Amino acid sequence: MTDGQLAVIGLGSIGSMALWRASRSSASVVGFEAASPAHPRSAVGGDTRLFRMTYRGEGNYYPVLQVAQNLWRELEQESGQSVLTQCGGLSIGETDGSYIPALLESIKRTGAPHEVLDRDEMERRYPQHRLGAGECGIFDPEAGFLRTDRAVLSAVEAARSHGATVRSGTPVREIRESPTGVQIVTDTETSEFERVIVASGGWSRALLPPSLQSHVQPKRIYLTWFPARHPEEFSPERFPIYIRITGERSLYGAPTIDGASVKATLDGRGQPTADADGVDRALSAAEIAESEETVAEFLPGLIPSIVRSDAFPDLYTSDSTPLVGFVPGSQRTYLATGFSGAGFKMASAFGAIAASEALGRPSGVEGLDFVRPGRFV
Ligand SMILES: Cc1cc2nc3c(=O)[nH]c(=O)nc-3n(C[C@H](O)[C@H](O)[C@H](O)COP(=O)(O)OP(=O)(O)OC[C@H]3O[C@@H](n4cnc5c(N)ncnc54)[C@H](O)[C@@H]3O)c2cc1C
């Protein structure tokens, strides 16, 4: 006899979604969370995450993003909460630089809906962005932003209503596979399940097999917000989410959700940290100076003085691609971690994929070889 069919370790972005999806088909699912679901020192912190269907790079994420979009809507229906605001999204850069041609190449492969906006059209539609000569924008009509804590808490509540058990304040210290199941060791007890999903984000390394530990690294990612001179110009109706990469400079962000401040953060600044609890929340003088200079140059409608900042952990893999699938050689321990600074938009889908596969069913999503942990072994 086991204590349940499935244990989910970590009820953050991915684990909350896995618990929700698993609870719909299994009567004995238990979520272990070291702190509390959606706690603000996890990768859920910072209010919002960008959602977009257009992306640069090789990974076959498009089918996953299609599933994710549908599941965010399903979560909204089930919870009555607004989770995803599809206000559109802009990718901005030099027409012949490193970003826009690579993005268009990937769009050609996926067929994602998009519009190319030249500099004049950008100026007409989105005067909040100051573009340089030779720059353009790509508009993604399905992009937008996710309300992170709302999404995670909604998923956990939905899971509870389907009968899942939630153990907050219960860090898992060890996972031990036995011939009959997998033992989950906490400070106070050891329980046994048929399968386990490891979704403990920046803290996952200690729960991974040694063969994978050297391929992951927790990193600190910071966020900055700036006050708007005229906040109505930065509302979701007028100001889509954006990612801009111009030469060595970069900035991404979202419209105002508090009617005063706008998220505007330097892109690609993840820094290795010894452990996820040790993330330094304070920004260095250099980080502040570069952020303020970039905002002054790119978004003249913002006052270039940081009004809020914070930093959070995420687990990166050595190829910046997540680990989703069974540990090589195991049929009991399933990994859903290593989302490398880009996982929230897909959390609903990868949570659902993890739940199905860990319960021994096909996920219905094809072409996932690129995320399987076996690629490192
Ligand atoms: C600042 C920042 C900005 C980002 N921007 C974007 C964006 O715009 N778009 C996007 O798609 N992605 C973005 N990302 C990436 C995305 O947020 C992460 O990839 C994703 O949230 C990671 O989810 P996770 O479930 O792996 O980790 P988390 O959400 O951190 O969840 C891990 C959970 O596990 C718990 N836990 C840890 N150890 C244990 C244990 N031993 N036992 C029990 N529980 C444990 C933790 O307490 C935590 O609640 C960003 C990330 C950061 C940090």
Side-chain angles (χ1 to χ4, degrees):
M1 280 291 287
T2 60
D3 297 287
Q5 193 176 9
L6 180 69
V8 178
I9 303 179
L11 298 181
S13 320
I14 312 294
S16 61
M17 303 298 151
L19 192 78
W20 168 43
R21 299 313 291 178
S23 69
R24 293 158 44 94
S25 55
S26 170
S28 54
V29 185
V30 179
F32 293 85
E33 167 52 50
S36 55
H39 71 88
R41 306 286 7 112
S42 69
V44 179
D47 308 336
T48 57
R49 292 287 182 268
L50 308 193
F51 176 86
R52 56 205 175 110
M53 299 296 291
T54 51
Y55 59 89
R56 178 173 55 158
E58 294 297 319
N60 187 24
Y61 292 105
Y62 196 68
V64 180
L65 288 164
Q66 287 176 309
V67 172
Q69 202 179 146
N70 292 336
L71 287 175
W72 292 125
R73 293 294 173 223
E74 195 176 322
L75 181 61
E76 288 182 325
Q77 272 172 9
E78 200 171 324
S79 65
Q81 299 279 328
S82 166
V83 169
L84 171 62
T85 301
Q86 283 175 297
C87 57
L90 287 167
S91 296
I92 303 170
E94 291 129 333
T95 313
D96 58 0
S98 63
Y99 181 40
I100 296 295
L103 182 75
L104 286 170
E105 191 55 42
S106 156
I107 290 174
K108 203 158 84 187
R109 225 175 29 249
T110 63
H114 69 286
E115 245 182 291
V116 179
L117 309 178
D118 65 18
R119 192 179 171 202
D120 291 344
E121 189 62 8
M122 280 293 293
E123 168 67 25
R124 200 180 65 73
R125 279 167 61 171
Y126 304 111
Q128 299 93 332
H129 293 278
R130 180 159 55 204
L131 267 63
E135 286 192 281
C136 69
I138 310 291
F139 182 70
D140 172 346
E142 293 175 300
F145 61 91
L146 290 149
R147 296 297 301 254
T148 51
D149 40 4
R150 213 182 267 172
V152 168
L153 293 172
S154 296
V156 170
E157 277 319 297
R160 272 193 227 264
S161 74
H162 293 298
T165 302
V166 173
R167 299 216 181 127
S168 292
T170 312
V172 171
R173 302 297 182 195
E174 202 186 332
I175 299 170
R176 289 189 207 130
E177 291 202 20
S178 74
T180 51
V182 56
Q183 294 178 336
I184 304 299
V185 183
T186 70
D187 291 335
T188 53
E189 62 178 4
T190 297
S191 40
E192 186 158 290
F193 292 82
E194 289 174 30
R195 310 269 172 87
V196 61
I197 296 175
V198 178
S200 38
W203 295 263
S204 292
R205 186 162 55 187
L207 297 174
L208 299 184
S211 58
L212 291 175
Q213 283 183 0
S214 59
H215 294 282
V216 299
Q217 169 69 55
K219 290 191 180 179
R220 162 189 179 264
I221 314 177
Y222 62 83
L223 291 174
T224 48
W225 288 259
F226 291 81
R229 297 180 204 280
H230 302 286
E232 67 281 3
E233 293 173 0
F234 292 89
S235 68
E237 294 73 31
R238 293 173 62 181
F239 188 68
I241 64 136
Y242 62 96
I243 298 160
R244 178 161 177 185
I245 301 175
T246 299
E248 295 299 304
R249 285 209 185 281
S250 70
L251 197 70
Y252 73 93
T256 180
I257 58 164
D258 62 5
S261 65
V262 177
K263 187 183 272 186
T265 299
L266 302 179
D267 188 42
R269 295 300 195 277
Q271 278 173 345
T273 177
D275 74 283
D277 287 319
V279 164
D280 187 356
R281 296 177 68 181
L283 268 59
S284 69
E287 288 168 341
I288 293 171
E290 191 188 355
S291 302
E292 294 186 346
E293 278 163 25
T294 307
V295 162
E297 186 181 330
F298 287 175
L299 293 169
L302 300 185
I303 297 167
S305 179
I306 294 171
V307 72
R308 175 184 167 198
S309 67
D310 210 335
F312 310 91
D314 198 7
L315 190 73
Y316 281 67
T317 61
S318 49
D319 60 4
S320 295
T321 301
L323 294 167
V324 182
F326 282 103
V327 164
S330 168
Q331 290 177 343
R332 299 199 181 275
T333 305
Y334 190 101
L335 306 179
T337 192
F339 285 89
S340 306
F344 206 95
K345 62 180 81 60
M346 303 175 276
S348 54
F350 276 124
I353 290 166
S356 297
E357 293 184 344
L359 288 169
R361 304 188 189 114
S363 70
V365 182
E366 302 291 323
L368 291 175
D369 286 354
F370 72 110
V371 297
R372 298 307 190 194
R375 70 187 186 276
F376 287 130
V377 178

